[in-house]
Amino acid sequence: AEILKQLETALKAENHCEILSEYKKRSCLRGKSVTVINGTESYPAVVKGIDDKARLIVETADGKEKALSSGEVSISMHKMHNG
């Protein structure tokens, strides 16, 4: 939570474009299969990247893209089985 607070503060600063660019480059989730957990709902997805609002972009099993903010969801890593 502290990291997200610092990121939010930095994004509000003048150099937010540079910080966001670095944040996107350092993300280790791009291309990873994850389970998105939001309240009682959960679903598998693949991380596509991070958008310009620092939201995690995922693609669901039905091919839809969703923008997720950390305040709404929790993400748990797992392997998706194609079959």
Side-chain angles (χ1 to χ4, degrees):
E2 182 61 30
I3 292 171
L4 293 175
K5 286 180 188 177
Q6 289 177 11
L7 178 61
E8 181 179 22
T9 300
L11 288 173
K12 290 178 182 176
E14 271 186 46
N15 62 345
H16 72 278
C17 290
E18 182 180 320
I19 293 168
L20 185 56
S21 176
E22 190 64 27
Y23 178 60
K24 288 178 180 183
K25 282 194 280 189
R26 292 177 181 251
S27 173
C28 60
L29 294 177
R30 177 176 238 137
K32 301 285 185 186
S33 297
V34 296
T35 298
V36 178
I37 304 165
N38 187 1
T40 58
E41 176 189 30
S42 67
Y43 53 90
V46 175
V47 176
K48 304 304 279 183
I50 298 167
D51 72 7
D52 290 339
K53 294 182 180 178
R55 297 177 299 183
L56 191 68
I57 304 301
V58 298
E59 183 177 322
T60 60
D62 61 3
K64 293 182 181 175
E65 283 194 1
K66 291 188 175 187
L68 310 173
S69 69
S70 62
E72 303 170 359
V73 297
S74 177
I75 300 173
S76 172
M77 298 296 293
H78 82 290
K79 289 186 178 183
M80 286 178 53
H81 298 283
N82 295 329

